[in-house]
Amino acid sequence: MANSSSVTEFLLLGFSSLGELQLVLFAVFLCLYLIILSGNITIISVIFLDRSLHTPMYFFLGILSTSEIFYTIVILPKMLINLLSVLRTLSFMSCATQMFFFLGFAVTNCLLLGVMGYDRYAAICQPLHYPILMSWRVCGQLATTCIVSGFLISLVGTSLVFILPFCGSNKVNHYFCDISPVISLACTETYINELVIFICGVLVLVVPLIFICISYGFIVRTILKIPSTEGKRKAFSTCASHLIVVIVHYGCASFVYLRPSAKYTSGKDRLVTVTYTIITPLLNPMVYSLRNKDVQLAIRKVIRKTGFSLKTLW
């Protein structure tokens, strides 16, 4: 790839225009990054250790948390280094690799949220058929499909960007190698490439979102038929966490990717991108642990067991 272009490295401008505020951002983003890692690792550990959470819903939540960890590892460590560094360069191949893995995990997350919506539909609207509709074999197939599809779509998107010639400016006006700021540096016509990327974005964002909306339409109709208020509250509480994450993730991603790259505006995009690269991975464990009584109970059980075993060893 590098041989076909006169640009051998990219300069990530990131937040360089903010001057001394970068030190403050470094401290804030480092704290948020550590919370993201500890929160998602806690969710994964609790789901693995507590047998009561060995259900399809928590199986997909565990995969989502794992994906969120790698999703942030691809971007945040380099961003934190750049906030303290004068040299913010990234080689041509490293930029392509970062974009590939970022898009791969991002698309996987979108598809997983769609599958989790289907899981809630099957649990609430088809409770008698739920063990068949969401058997462990089906769950494994759905998870594998999400991961493989995510990285295949990412491969297409990344290839469409890096087959273009880059022979002018190498300054990426962003804090990582995202599609819009990189493709805007190409020194050739990018209309066809942008169109194909836009179509992929529609397939990844709009189609699962429509599927989620339809699923929740049936879910709401079913919940309204439940006679008891407590039953309605319990049914809705299992969906509320998922809905919050869906709204934030799809809303921010749609703002950035469901428009032509030519309309790229660095300031607004950086702000929105921070939301779905940092806030969403942070929101995921917090929402599912703070709002979910099953997870809260499981965390307390694991802490009690761990505390007991540590006292015994002592």
Side-chain angles (χ1 to χ4, degrees), residues 33 37 68-78:
Y33 183 46
L37 290 179
E68 295 280 22
I69 289 173
F70 288 108
Y71 173 71
T72 51
I73 286 174
V74 171
I75 299 171
L76 296 189
K78 179 63 177 175

mmCIF file with all atom_site columns, all heavy atoms in Angstrom, residues 33 37 68-78:
data_model
loop_
_atom_site.group_PDB
_atom_site.id
_atom_site.type_symbol
_atom_site.label_atom_id
_atom_site.label_alt_id
_atom_site.label_comp_id
_atom_site.label_asym_id
_atom_site.label_entity_id
_atom_site.label_seq_id
_atom_site.pdbx_PDB_ins_code
_atom_site.Cartn_x
_atom_site.Cartn_y
_atom_site.Cartn_z
_atom_site.occupancy
_atom_site.B_iso_or_equiv
_atom_site.pdbx_formal_charge
_atom_site.auth_seq_id
_atom_site.auth_comp_id
_atom_site.auth_asym_id
_atom_site.auth_atom_id
_atom_site.pdbx_PDB_model_num
ATOM 1   N N   . TYR A 1 33 ? -10.573 6.331  30.634 1.00 0.00 ? 33 TYR A N   1
ATOM 2   C CA  . TYR A 1 33 ? -10.068 5.090  30.026 1.00 0.00 ? 33 TYR A CA  1
ATOM 3   C C   . TYR A 1 33 ? -9.925  3.983  31.070 1.00 0.00 ? 33 TYR A C   1
ATOM 4   O O   . TYR A 1 33 ? -10.314 2.832  30.833 1.00 0.00 ? 33 TYR A O   1
ATOM 5   C CB  . TYR A 1 33 ? -8.736  5.368  29.344 1.00 0.00 ? 33 TYR A CB  1
ATOM 6   C CG  . TYR A 1 33 ? -8.141  4.181  28.627 1.00 0.00 ? 33 TYR A CG  1
ATOM 7   C CD1 . TYR A 1 33 ? -8.913  3.365  27.800 1.00 0.00 ? 33 TYR A CD1 1
ATOM 8   C CD2 . TYR A 1 33 ? -6.793  3.867  28.771 1.00 0.00 ? 33 TYR A CD2 1
ATOM 9   C CE1 . TYR A 1 33 ? -8.366  2.271  27.144 1.00 0.00 ? 33 TYR A CE1 1
ATOM 10  C CE2 . TYR A 1 33 ? -6.233  2.776  28.111 1.00 0.00 ? 33 TYR A CE2 1
ATOM 11  C CZ  . TYR A 1 33 ? -7.024  1.983  27.306 1.00 0.00 ? 33 TYR A CZ  1
ATOM 12  O OH  . TYR A 1 33 ? -6.484  0.899  26.647 1.00 0.00 ? 33 TYR A OH  1
ATOM 13  N N   . LEU A 1 37 ? -11.968 0.409  31.177 1.00 0.00 ? 37 LEU A N   1
ATOM 14  C CA  . LEU A 1 37 ? -11.324 -0.903 31.288 1.00 0.00 ? 37 LEU A CA  1
ATOM 15  C C   . LEU A 1 37 ? -11.813 -1.660 32.516 1.00 0.00 ? 37 LEU A C   1
ATOM 16  O O   . LEU A 1 37 ? -12.218 -2.832 32.418 1.00 0.00 ? 37 LEU A O   1
ATOM 17  C CB  . LEU A 1 37 ? -9.802  -0.745 31.343 1.00 0.00 ? 37 LEU A CB  1
ATOM 18  C CG  . LEU A 1 37 ? -9.094  -0.299 30.068 1.00 0.00 ? 37 LEU A CG  1
ATOM 19  C CD1 . LEU A 1 37 ? -7.596  -0.182 30.305 1.00 0.00 ? 37 LEU A CD1 1
ATOM 20  C CD2 . LEU A 1 37 ? -9.362  -1.286 28.922 1.00 0.00 ? 37 LEU A CD2 1
ATOM 21  N N   . GLU A 1 68 ? -15.901 -3.698 23.345 1.00 0.00 ? 68 GLU A N   1
ATOM 22  C CA  . GLU A 1 68 ? -15.698 -2.312 23.774 1.00 0.00 ? 68 GLU A CA  1
ATOM 23  C C   . GLU A 1 68 ? -14.278 -2.096 24.291 1.00 0.00 ? 68 GLU A C   1
ATOM 24  O O   . GLU A 1 68 ? -13.671 -1.040 24.061 1.00 0.00 ? 68 GLU A O   1
ATOM 25  C CB  . GLU A 1 68 ? -16.698 -1.946 24.880 1.00 0.00 ? 68 GLU A CB  1
ATOM 26  C CG  . GLU A 1 68 ? -18.157 -1.938 24.469 1.00 0.00 ? 68 GLU A CG  1
ATOM 27  C CD  . GLU A 1 68 ? -18.576 -0.676 23.741 1.00 0.00 ? 68 GLU A CD  1
ATOM 28  O OE1 . GLU A 1 68 ? -17.707 0.014  23.185 1.00 0.00 ? 68 GLU A OE1 1
ATOM 29  O OE2 . GLU A 1 68 ? -19.780 -0.383 23.728 1.00 0.00 ? 68 GLU A OE2 1
ATOM 30  N N   . ILE A 1 69 ? -13.732 -3.092 24.986 1.00 0.00 ? 69 ILE A N   1
ATOM 31  C CA  . ILE A 1 69 ? -12.359 -2.983 25.503 1.00 0.00 ? 69 ILE A CA  1
ATOM 32  C C   . ILE A 1 69 ? -11.367 -2.838 24.354 1.00 0.00 ? 69 ILE A C   1
ATOM 33  O O   . ILE A 1 69 ? -10.528 -1.926 24.339 1.00 0.00 ? 69 ILE A O   1
ATOM 34  C CB  . ILE A 1 69 ? -12.004 -4.208 26.376 1.00 0.00 ? 69 ILE A CB  1
ATOM 35  C CG1 . ILE A 1 69 ? -12.770 -4.156 27.697 1.00 0.00 ? 69 ILE A CG1 1
ATOM 36  C CG2 . ILE A 1 69 ? -10.498 -4.258 26.650 1.00 0.00 ? 69 ILE A CG2 1
ATOM 37  C CD1 . ILE A 1 69 ? -12.623 -5.395 28.551 1.00 0.00 ? 69 ILE A CD1 1
ATOM 38  N N   . PHE A 1 70 ? -11.456 -3.739 23.355 1.00 0.00 ? 70 PHE A N   1
ATOM 39  C CA  . PHE A 1 70 ? -10.536 -3.673 22.219 1.00 0.00 ? 70 PHE A CA  1
ATOM 40  C C   . PHE A 1 70 ? -10.785 -2.430 21.367 1.00 0.00 ? 70 PHE A C   1
ATOM 41  O O   . PHE A 1 70 ? -9.843  -1.850 20.806 1.00 0.00 ? 70 PHE A O   1
ATOM 42  C CB  . PHE A 1 70 ? -10.672 -4.940 21.369 1.00 0.00 ? 70 PHE A CB  1
ATOM 43  C CG  . PHE A 1 70 ? -10.092 -6.157 22.020 1.00 0.00 ? 70 PHE A CG  1
ATOM 44  C CD1 . PHE A 1 70 ? -10.902 -7.158 22.529 1.00 0.00 ? 70 PHE A CD1 1
ATOM 45  C CD2 . PHE A 1 70 ? -8.717  -6.299 22.148 1.00 0.00 ? 70 PHE A CD2 1
ATOM 46  C CE1 . PHE A 1 70 ? -10.373 -8.276 23.142 1.00 0.00 ? 70 PHE A CE1 1
ATOM 47  C CE2 . PHE A 1 70 ? -8.163  -7.420 22.762 1.00 0.00 ? 70 PHE A CE2 1
ATOM 48  C CZ  . PHE A 1 70 ? -8.993  -8.409 23.260 1.00 0.00 ? 70 PHE A CZ  1
ATOM 49  N N   . TYR A 1 71 ? -12.036 -2.031 21.287 1.00 0.00 ? 71 TYR A N   1
ATOM 50  C CA  . TYR A 1 71 ? -12.450 -0.835 20.538 1.00 0.00 ? 71 TYR A CA  1
ATOM 51  C C   . TYR A 1 71 ? -11.728 0.406  21.066 1.00 0.00 ? 71 TYR A C   1
ATOM 52  O O   . TYR A 1 71 ? -11.234 1.240  20.295 1.00 0.00 ? 71 TYR A O   1
ATOM 53  C CB  . TYR A 1 71 ? -13.968 -0.733 20.708 1.00 0.00 ? 71 TYR A CB  1
ATOM 54  C CG  . TYR A 1 71 ? -14.687 0.472  20.184 1.00 0.00 ? 71 TYR A CG  1
ATOM 55  C CD1 . TYR A 1 71 ? -14.850 0.682  18.828 1.00 0.00 ? 71 TYR A CD1 1
ATOM 56  C CD2 . TYR A 1 71 ? -15.278 1.378  21.067 1.00 0.00 ? 71 TYR A CD2 1
ATOM 57  C CE1 . TYR A 1 71 ? -15.561 1.780  18.348 1.00 0.00 ? 71 TYR A CE1 1
ATOM 58  C CE2 . TYR A 1 71 ? -15.994 2.465  20.609 1.00 0.00 ? 71 TYR A CE2 1
ATOM 59  C CZ  . TYR A 1 71 ? -16.133 2.663  19.244 1.00 0.00 ? 71 TYR A CZ  1
ATOM 60  O OH  . TYR A 1 71 ? -16.842 3.734  18.782 1.00 0.00 ? 71 TYR A OH  1
ATOM 61  N N   . THR A 1 72 ? -11.635 0.516  22.403 1.00 0.00 ? 72 THR A N   1
ATOM 62  C CA  . THR A 1 72 ? -10.960 1.669  23.002 1.00 0.00 ? 72 THR A CA  1
ATOM 63  C C   . THR A 1 72 ? -9.442  1.510  22.977 1.00 0.00 ? 72 THR A C   1
ATOM 64  O O   . THR A 1 72 ? -8.723  2.503  22.844 1.00 0.00 ? 72 THR A O   1
ATOM 65  C CB  . THR A 1 72 ? -11.428 1.877  24.456 1.00 0.00 ? 72 THR A CB  1
ATOM 66  O OG1 . THR A 1 72 ? -11.311 0.650  25.188 1.00 0.00 ? 72 THR A OG1 1
ATOM 67  C CG2 . THR A 1 72 ? -12.875 2.328  24.499 1.00 0.00 ? 72 THR A CG2 1
ATOM 68  N N   . ILE A 1 73 ? -8.941  0.272  23.092 1.00 0.00 ? 73 ILE A N   1
ATOM 69  C CA  . ILE A 1 73 ? -7.490  0.033  23.043 1.00 0.00 ? 73 ILE A CA  1
ATOM 70  C C   . ILE A 1 73 ? -6.914  0.483  21.704 1.00 0.00 ? 73 ILE A C   1
ATOM 71  O O   . ILE A 1 73 ? -5.782  0.972  21.632 1.00 0.00 ? 73 ILE A O   1
ATOM 72  C CB  . ILE A 1 73 ? -7.183  -1.462 23.300 1.00 0.00 ? 73 ILE A CB  1
ATOM 73  C CG1 . ILE A 1 73 ? -7.369  -1.794 24.783 1.00 0.00 ? 73 ILE A CG1 1
ATOM 74  C CG2 . ILE A 1 73 ? -5.771  -1.818 22.859 1.00 0.00 ? 73 ILE A CG2 1
ATOM 75  C CD1 . ILE A 1 73 ? -7.223  -3.253 25.118 1.00 0.00 ? 73 ILE A CD1 1
ATOM 76  N N   . VAL A 1 74 ? -7.684  0.340  20.638 1.00 0.00 ? 74 VAL A N   1
ATOM 77  C CA  . VAL A 1 74 ? -7.224  0.719  19.298 1.00 0.00 ? 74 VAL A CA  1
ATOM 78  C C   . VAL A 1 74 ? -6.964  2.224  19.204 1.00 0.00 ? 74 VAL A C   1
ATOM 79  O O   . VAL A 1 74 ? -6.071  2.659  18.481 1.00 0.00 ? 74 VAL A O   1
ATOM 80  C CB  . VAL A 1 74 ? -8.279  0.304  18.240 1.00 0.00 ? 74 VAL A CB  1
ATOM 81  C CG1 . VAL A 1 74 ? -7.939  0.872  16.869 1.00 0.00 ? 74 VAL A CG1 1
ATOM 82  C CG2 . VAL A 1 74 ? -8.367  -1.215 18.147 1.00 0.00 ? 74 VAL A CG2 1
ATOM 83  N N   . ILE A 1 75 ? -7.728  3.029  19.959 1.00 0.00 ? 75 ILE A N   1
ATOM 84  C CA  . ILE A 1 75 ? -7.675  4.488  19.805 1.00 0.00 ? 75 ILE A CA  1
ATOM 85  C C   . ILE A 1 75 ? -7.042  5.212  20.988 1.00 0.00 ? 75 ILE A C   1
ATOM 86  O O   . ILE A 1 75 ? -6.145  6.036  20.819 1.00 0.00 ? 75 ILE A O   1
ATOM 87  C CB  . ILE A 1 75 ? -9.100  5.053  19.615 1.00 0.00 ? 75 ILE A CB  1
ATOM 88  C CG1 . ILE A 1 75 ? -9.728  4.473  18.359 1.00 0.00 ? 75 ILE A CG1 1
ATOM 89  C CG2 . ILE A 1 75 ? -9.085  6.568  19.520 1.00 0.00 ? 75 ILE A CG2 1
ATOM 90  C CD1 . ILE A 1 75 ? -11.187 4.805  18.228 1.00 0.00 ? 75 ILE A CD1 1
ATOM 91  N N   . LEU A 1 76 ? -7.520  4.928  22.197 1.00 0.00 ? 76 LEU A N   1
ATOM 92  C CA  . LEU A 1 76 ? -7.212  5.792  23.346 1.00 0.00 ? 76 LEU A CA  1
ATOM 93  C C   . LEU A 1 76 ? -5.744  5.817  23.777 1.00 0.00 ? 76 LEU A C   1
ATOM 94  O O   . LEU A 1 76 ? -5.232  6.902  24.091 1.00 0.00 ? 76 LEU A O   1
ATOM 95  C CB  . LEU A 1 76 ? -8.113  5.429  24.527 1.00 0.00 ? 76 LEU A CB  1
ATOM 96  C CG  . LEU A 1 76 ? -9.609  5.675  24.300 1.00 0.00 ? 76 LEU A CG  1
ATOM 97  C CD1 . LEU A 1 76 ? -10.392 5.499  25.591 1.00 0.00 ? 76 LEU A CD1 1
ATOM 98  C CD2 . LEU A 1 76 ? -9.858  7.064  23.742 1.00 0.00 ? 76 LEU A CD2 1
ATOM 99  N N   . PRO A 1 77 ? -5.013  4.680  23.832 1.00 0.00 ? 77 PRO A N   1
ATOM 100 C CA  . PRO A 1 77 ? -3.600  4.782  24.234 1.00 0.00 ? 77 PRO A CA  1
ATOM 101 C C   . PRO A 1 77 ? -2.790  5.716  23.334 1.00 0.00 ? 77 PRO A C   1
ATOM 102 O O   . PRO A 1 77 ? -2.017  6.544  23.828 1.00 0.00 ? 77 PRO A O   1
ATOM 103 C CB  . PRO A 1 77 ? -3.107  3.327  24.122 1.00 0.00 ? 77 PRO A CB  1
ATOM 104 C CG  . PRO A 1 77 ? -4.333  2.508  24.339 1.00 0.00 ? 77 PRO A CG  1
ATOM 105 C CD  . PRO A 1 77 ? -5.425  3.274  23.682 1.00 0.00 ? 77 PRO A CD  1
ATOM 106 N N   . LYS A 1 78 ? -2.985  5.617  22.014 1.00 0.00 ? 78 LYS A N   1
ATOM 107 C CA  . LYS A 1 78 ? -2.271  6.494  21.081 1.00 0.00 ? 78 LYS A CA  1
ATOM 108 C C   . LYS A 1 78 ? -2.707  7.950  21.273 1.00 0.00 ? 78 LYS A C   1
ATOM 109 O O   . LYS A 1 78 ? -1.874  8.861  21.213 1.00 0.00 ? 78 LYS A O   1
ATOM 110 C CB  . LYS A 1 78 ? -2.548  6.038  19.642 1.00 0.00 ? 78 LYS A CB  1
ATOM 111 C CG  . LYS A 1 78 ? -1.871  6.888  18.566 1.00 0.00 ? 78 LYS A CG  1
ATOM 112 C CD  . LYS A 1 78 ? -0.359  6.828  18.659 1.00 0.00 ? 78 LYS A CD  1
ATOM 113 C CE  . LYS A 1 78 ? 0.301   7.620  17.555 1.00 0.00 ? 78 LYS A CE  1
ATOM 114 N NZ  . LYS A 1 78 ? 1.778   7.675  17.704 1.00 0.00 ? 78 LYS A NZ  1
#
